[in-house]
Amino acid sequence: MAGRERLIAASDQVVERGKGVRFTVDAANGDWLPAFAVRYRGAVYAYVNRCAHVSLELDWNEGEFFDITGLYLLCATHGAAYFPDSGKCAAGPCKGGGLHPLETAEHDGNIYLIEQKDIFDDQ
Ligand code: FES
């Protein structure tokens, strides 16, 4: 069964390979985790904002996730690169890891997080 939708941004706030929108998600332990959404090849992708290398947020300036080519999401700390449409590690110290994907829906000019009960908490 699909979860409840929570508004995270207006569609026009998340532009193709532009700045991402930051938001938070509730973790299983009642805490919250930082998250972000970006647009790539027309679709919105959202992930927990936590690098697979070390548990740090990716953005090099607030909301800046894409590398200069606009082809990868880049971690500012040691340069791990992730595929925007899967969150899988493309290069760098995230080898074998990936970003934790979050389900979203886009309709009526808005982007919504599909809230899940099972967002991990392995911190
Ligand atoms: S913390 Fe992201 S590459 Fe090391």
Side-chain angles (χ1 to χ4, degrees), residues 51 53-56 75-80 82 93:
C51 187
H53 177 223
V54 176
S55 183
L56 294 172
C75 178
T77 306
H78 311 110
Y82 298 91

